[in-house]
């Protein structure tokens, strides 16, 4: 039987830290589905559609990775698609509480669900989507921290925000 996994997240926007988890996950599993979670649009810089497109562009070279927007409960999605593994990344102790809580509740909802954690690479431990949004909002260069094909999209988005906000 094929070993498939999901990698859920907000990816607002996707960073090289996420990519490092995805590349390693793609080697561990036969197929990895990245689930881009819906969020209140007021709380995200990019819309669900934009986030999904950016992730697609960033992982297009990985043949066993696919990307889907995701609007339901993770445990239900996994049950429906017969997927047992959920991949997550761990940066520091600060990630651990939340990740453990999610792993336990998902397992409570469906005992088949197994969370698999990959440690962040040391060069990405400090990297988060929040930090990227923060640097970019002040006009800082984030090109070192995000996939090449999405850097321009971040610059464009920040500029359009500044135009609208004056
Ligand atoms: P969420 O909103 O669910 O936290 P994110 O898109 O921020 O979604 O993150 C998705 C997953 O990727 C989480 O497990 C998070 O810990 C992990 N992650 C985020 N940034 C990094 C990084 N720099 N290195 C390793 N894992 C990361």
């Amino acid at each position: 039987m094929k070993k498939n996994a999901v990698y859920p997240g907000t990816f607002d926007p996707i960073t090289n830290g996420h990519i490092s988890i995805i590349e390693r996950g793609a080697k561990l599993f036969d197929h990895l589905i990245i689930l881009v979670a819906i969020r209140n649009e007021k709380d995200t810089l990019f819309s669900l559609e934009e986030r999904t497109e950016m992730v697609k562009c960033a992982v297009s070279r990985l043949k066993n990775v696919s990307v889907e927007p995701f609007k339901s409960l993770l445990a239900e999605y996994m049950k429906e698609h017969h997927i047992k593994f959920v991949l997550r990344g761990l940066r520091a102790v600060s990630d651990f509480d939340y990740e453990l809580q999610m792993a336990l509740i998902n397992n409570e909802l469906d005992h088949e669900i197994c969370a698999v954690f990959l440690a962040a690479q040391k060069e990405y431990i400090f990297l988060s989507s929040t930090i990227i949004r923060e640097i970019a909002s002040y006009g800082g260069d984030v090109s070192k921290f995000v996939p090449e094909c999405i850097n321009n999209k971040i610059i464009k988005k920040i500029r359009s925000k500044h135009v609208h906000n004056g």
Side-chain angles (χ1 to χ4, degrees):
M1 194 165 143
K2 291 225 168 200
K3 229 192 289 155
N4 297 341
V6 291
Y7 178 40
T10 311
F11 308 106
D12 186 39
I14 187 164
T15 70
N16 289 341
H18 295 123
I19 296 290
S20 137
I21 299 288
I22 294 165
E23 283 174 345
R24 286 179 284 155
K27 288 185 191 147
L28 281 175
F29 298 102
D30 293 307
H31 188 83
L32 181 65
I33 305 166
I34 305 176
L35 294 176
V36 182
I38 192 167
R39 291 276 180 262
N40 185 341
E41 298 246 321
K42 278 192 203 139
D43 299 335
T44 57
L45 178 60
F46 295 94
S47 67
L48 177 62
E49 203 180 26
E50 289 170 324
R51 287 183 280 124
T52 307
E53 281 315 306
M54 287 192 291
V55 176
K56 277 187 182 165
C57 156
V59 303
S60 60
R61 72 203 146 81
L62 299 170
K63 296 296 162 241
N64 63 335
V65 175
S66 58
V67 186
E68 290 176 23
F70 170 62
K71 300 180 180 180
S72 51
L73 191 65
L74 184 64
E76 270 170 23
Y77 177 99
M78 292 178 71
K79 194 172 208 159
E80 199 180 310
H81 293 83
H82 309 288
I83 297 172
K84 291 189 170 63
F85 301 99
V86 51
L87 180 66
R88 298 287 287 178
L90 278 181
R91 277 161 294 193
V93 184
S94 50
D95 277 343
F96 184 76
D97 274 356
Y98 175 73
E99 293 295 343
L100 182 66
Q101 190 185 1
M102 290 311 293
L104 292 176
I105 191 70
N106 280 329
N107 190 259
E108 208 47 54
L109 291 171
D110 180 349
H111 293 316
E112 294 278 300
I113 294 181
C114 174
V116 176
F117 297 105
L118 289 179
Q121 277 180 284
K122 64 178 183 313
E123 56 269 46
Y124 300 135
I125 282 193
F126 63 91
L127 196 52
S128 68
S129 301
T130 311
I131 291 281
I132 293 300
R133 292 196 303 273
E134 184 78 6
I135 299 172
S137 73
Y138 291 106
D141 177 14
V142 296
S143 58
K144 271 201 292 202
F145 309 123
V146 298
E148 207 180 330
C149 67
I150 74 152
N151 188 42
N152 276 341
K153 294 196 167 83
I154 298 176
I155 296 170
K156 258 197 190 158
K157 173 65 86 178
I158 295 294
R159 283 195 188 137
S160 78
K161 287 256 164 193
H162 283 164
V163 169
H164 289 116
N165 297 337

